[in-house]
Structure formats: structure tokens, C-alpha cells
Amino acid sequence: MTTRIIATGAYAPGQVITNDDMAKVVDTSDEWITQRTGIKERHISSGENTSVLAVNTARQLLCRAGKKAEDIDLIIIASVTADYGTPSLGCMVQKEIGASNAVAFDITAACSGFMFALSIADKYIKTGIYNNAIVIGAETLSKIVDWSDRSTCVLFGDGAGGAYVEKSQTDGIIEEEIGSKGELYDILTEGHTECKNVFNDKKEEPDPLWYVNMNGREVFKFATKSVVKSVERVLKNAGVTADEIKFVVPHQANTRIVDVISNKLGIPHEKFYMNIDRYGNTSSASIPIALNELNEKGLIERGDKVILTGFGGGMTWGTMLVSW
Ligand code: UT7
């Protein structure tokens, strides 16, 4: 028995911000952003919070999978930008779509979040506890970037993407792994909250660590190393060769990272599905948004072997080999 992706979906806010628009906010240029990252534009929320993006994605998944909300067993949302500390985005989605029989929760693994969430859903389904799940990555990173820091604010975008998965006797997830290297946690952080209370003398000053803080070069190195090793391990464990792969859907953080990964793995660049030019880095939403586009374009057929792979804060990584 395995877990199969039956439907994909995605939703992004309507407002599109180009690199030229960014150059009006910080000292940057379309040339720098395009050459260093491959990003041309990104969707930025004009007020919709993360739950709105997640709910729209969930509704699309139900519609495309032909399921009623009451039939959903499990809802897992990956995010680092939830509306609240509590309730979880999962519970907010559960209420809005009316999935009264589901159990719902969130997980946090930054840009690897969708891979972690899908891995958890897969275990619940494979062990027979649940028959199906809605798994979503959703982010409004625009609320946690420092809009005066050109080295980070140009990179990120808002959006959500997801998959409806269910028990399958044939095609589905063949092999997967998730991993973490906590000793590197401080090379990419966001959302730090200080321990301020009436019994200590902490001053009421803004916390600079609330915003995305990143050592870009170290993250770049970690990304290329961890993803290459992870994809190699997953292929080896599955007994599948790189030639058999129809598409790789990587986390969309930087086209240069993907160039390195493609060269090291010996998988041609054309097999890496990219849409970073139109979305920027949407963290946990990036892999499912790209997968949904690939699916909507009809570029994958039943039985095709597809790799989903990403890396992110934590530091974390995750790779999945699926038979579509
Ligand atoms: O999902 C995981 C999230 N993060 C990542 O995946 C990030 C991984 N790292 C990267 O993608 C790259 O390291 C970046 C795109 C973040 C940066 O590229 P880089 O080639 O490593 O550039 P750099 O940080 O070494 O900066 C080069 C120059 C610096 O100027 P000087 O010191 O050479 O004069 C920066 O101040 O570019 C400057 N710079 C900019 N210039 C124009 C940095 N940001 C900008 C900007 N516009 N937006």
C-alpha cells in the first residue's frame, strides 16, 4: 500500500510586484535580482493573511479531487507565517471548508515544510490510520521580511499550494526521506520572539530577529550539498536511476542553486520544473505551487517518476520520489 497524489491546487494573492517595483523600495535593480536569483516578479498580499491562501487552496483541492469536506480525515498545513500562534492554520481551514471529521494541525520546517507534511500524511495513510489527507504549504512571507533589507526582501513572495492524497494500491510515493541539521539553525531565522514580561527588565524595543535573517552564502552551500545527497540516497534506496526521472520539482529559492544541483546530479536542467521567475521564494508553498503548475499543464502522466525536493530553515531538507 502507498499514498498517491490525486489532486493538486494553488492560490496566490492577485497583487504582482515586479523587480522594477522593488527598485522603488530598496537600492536594487531588475538586473541584479534576475542574474543572482532568476526572480522577475512575486505575488505580495494586499491584506489576505496566510489562512485565506490556505483555505482557497483547500477548496480547490476538494473540487479537483471530487471529495466532500466531511470525507477528509487529516489536514496538515506547513507554514512559518501562520495567522496566530494558536489556532493552527489547519484548524482554521477545517472550519472554513467544513471538514468536521478531520484532525487538523500545522508543522514548521520552513521551506522543507511541505515535504515534512507530506511525509507525515504518508505515514498515517500507510499505517491504515487514515485514508486521505489534505496537505498544504502556505505563506505570507511579506509580513516577516524587513522591507528595508535589500539582501532578503527581494527574494520572497506570498502564496499557497497543496495536494489531496489518498491510499493507493498502485502508483504513489515510492521512496522518501526528511532530514535536519539543527547545529546550523542560525544561518536562516525568522519570527524570533523575546522573553519579555513584567518581572524582567527587558525593554520594549522592536526585535530585529523578528524579520528574516540569513547568511545567504552558507544557505546556498547547505542547499546544494543537502539536496544532492538526499536525491542520490532516495534514488539509490528506490533502485531507480536518474535517467528514469521525468521531472524534478525543486524548492524555488534560486535558479543558481538549481543549476548546481542539476550539474552534480547529472539530471538535465530541462527536467527541473521552475517558476521562480513569477513567484520568488514562497518557502513551504514553493514546491506544491510548482507541482500544481506542472500538473495543470498536463506535463506529467500516470506512472511518470517525479522527484520533489527541498531545503530550508532549521536547517532541514526533504526528498520524495513518486510514481504519478
Ligand atoms: O529558502 C531558503 C532561503 N534562502 C536561500 O535559498 C538563499 C541562498 N542564497 C542565495 O540565494 C544567495 O546567496 C543570495 C541571492 C541571497 C545572494 O547572492 P550572492 O551572490 O551570495 O550575493 P552576496 O550576498 O554575496 O552579495 C553580493 C553583492 C553585495 O555587495 P558588495 O559587498 O559585493 O558590494 C551585496 O551588498 O550584492 C549586494 N546585494 C545587492 N545588490 C543589489 C545584496 N542584495 C542586493 C540587491 N540588489 N537586492
Side-chain angles (χ1 to χ4, degrees):
M1 203 207 308
T2 187
T3 306
R4 183 165 173 242
I5 298 176
I6 303 293
T8 60
Y11 178 86
Q15 177 173 243
V16 173
I17 301 295
T18 65
N19 290 346
D20 288 336
D21 295 328
M22 291 301 311
K24 291 176 196 148
V25 178
V26 283
D27 179 16
T28 190
S29 64
D30 175 47
E31 192 192 1
W32 192 95
I33 302 171
T34 306
Q35 283 180 1
R36 300 276 176 145
T37 70
I39 300 165
K40 297 296 279 182
E41 57 189 38
R42 70 287 287 144
H43 293 255
I44 297 291
S45 172
S46 31
E48 298 157 296
N49 214 333
T50 310
S51 61
V52 177
L53 314 189
V55 167
N56 278 297
T57 305
R59 289 202 174 113
Q60 196 178 44
L61 290 172
L62 285 179
C63 178
R64 289 181 172 179
K67 291 284 158 186
K68 290 200 260 358
E70 314 81 87
D71 298 337
I72 302 303
D73 296 335
L74 175 65
I75 298 172
I76 311 180
I77 316 278
S79 184
V80 290
T81 51
D83 300 18
Y84 294 94
T86 189
S88 65
L89 288 167
C91 286
M92 294 176 81
V93 168
Q94 177 185 27
K95 179 194 168 196
E96 292 303 322
I97 66 172
S100 47
N101 297 313
V103 60
F105 57 88
D106 293 359
I107 64 105
T108 293
C111 309
S112 315
F114 182 74
M115 305 310 301
F116 276 56
L118 203 50
S119 173
I120 296 166
D122 174 52
K123 302 304 163 297
Y124 274 114
I125 289 170
K126 276 189 184 146
T127 50
I129 298 172
Y130 299 124
N131 288 319
N132 65 45
I134 280 180
V135 180
I136 291 173
E139 307 283 4
T140 44
L141 295 159
S142 58
K143 67 185 183 188
I144 49 108
V145 293
D146 177 352
W147 287 100
S148 65
D149 174 12
R150 68 177 184 174
S151 71
T152 53
C153 74
V154 302
L155 305 174
F156 298 99
D158 299 335
Y164 166 82
V165 296
E166 68 181 27
K167 189 165 63 181
S168 157
Q169 301 299 339
T170 53
D171 294 309
I173 296 168
I174 300 171
E175 189 70 44
E176 58 97 17
E177 69 159 38
I178 52 174
S180 3
K181 200 172 175 63
E183 69 209 63
L184 293 179
Y185 83 84
D186 61 355
I187 65 173
L188 175 52
T189 63
E190 68 82 18
H192 181 260
T193 49
E194 269 193 288
C195 189
K196 290 180 200 158
N197 62 57
V198 289
F199 300 107
N200 69 26
D201 58 3
K202 294 254 184 215
K203 303 232 164 42
E204 282 299 322
E205 283 163 4
D207 183 352
L209 290 178
W210 167 256
Y211 299 112
V212 175
N213 278 273
M214 179 169 72
N215 180 333
R217 289 187 175 188
E218 287 306 314
V219 175
F220 197 109
K221 274 194 253 167
F222 171 83
T224 48
K225 260 194 221 157
S226 62
V227 168
V228 168
K229 282 190 190 152
S230 177
V231 172
E232 283 173 348
R233 270 192 303 268
V234 164
L235 286 175
K236 186 166 175 253
N237 292 343
V240 169
T241 63
D243 295 345
E244 293 176 64
I245 302 303
K246 179 89 180 274
F247 275 105
V248 180
V249 182
H251 169 45
Q252 313 277 317
N254 189 324
T255 40
R256 290 190 294 136
I257 293 178
V258 174
D259 290 344
V260 175
I261 293 170
S262 153
N263 288 340
K264 285 196 176 164
L265 285 172
I267 300 179
H269 204 270
E270 315 81 75
K271 287 191 175 181
F272 285 74
Y273 188 80
M274 299 299 292
N275 64 5
I276 191 175
D277 54 327
R278 285 170 287 116
Y279 286 90
N281 179 347
T282 56
S283 190
S284 68
S286 97
I287 292 173
I289 289 175
L291 179 65
N292 178 57
E293 250 187 42
L294 185 66
N295 192 19
E296 277 182 347
K297 286 183 180 169
L299 294 171
I300 29 179
E301 285 167 19
R302 183 122 200 204
D304 281 345
K305 291 192 174 56
V306 179
I307 281 183
L308 315 178
T309 186
F311 62 93
M315 297 302 284
T316 54
W317 69 86
T319 299
M320 203 165 264
L321 170 65
V322 302
S323 171
W324 194 253

